[in-house]
Amino acid sequence: MKITANAKVYELSENTSIAEFILSTGSNPSRCVVELNGKALRFEMFKNLVLREGDVLEIMNIVAGG
């Protein structure tokens, strides 16, 4: 199945969760803010929410520092 994340198309296997996808990109899900199809998600949803064909994600990494 295909999804779009940050304007790039990805080919994923069925039943891939948002957390699994984020991990596959080399990022840490607990350090990300995610919008799915225009709706902001809470971190608790990342593990259980399975991506579907055509979904559009915007993923932003949280960076802290001084």
Side-chain angles (χ1 to χ4, degrees):
M1 91 177 151
K2 291 182 182 179
I3 66 153
T4 303
N6 297 351
K8 183 177 176 186
V9 176
Y10 291 85
E11 183 78 33
L12 303 179
S13 56
E14 298 289 325
N15 299 317
T16 300
S17 71
I18 291 175
E20 291 169 331
F21 173 71
I22 293 171
L23 285 169
S24 76
T25 67
S27 292
N28 181 342
S30 67
R31 308 270 306 152
C32 293
V33 175
V34 175
E35 189 177 90
L36 173 62
N37 299 324
K39 183 176 179 181
L41 301 177
R42 288 178 289 150
F43 171 71
E44 299 84 36
M45 301 173 79
F46 295 1
K47 261 188 168 176
N48 298 322
L49 196 57
V50 173
L51 293 165
R52 297 182 186 161
E53 178 75 32
D55 278 345
V56 177
L57 291 171
E58 289 294 328
I59 303 170
M60 292 144 281
N61 287 297
I62 300 169
V63 179

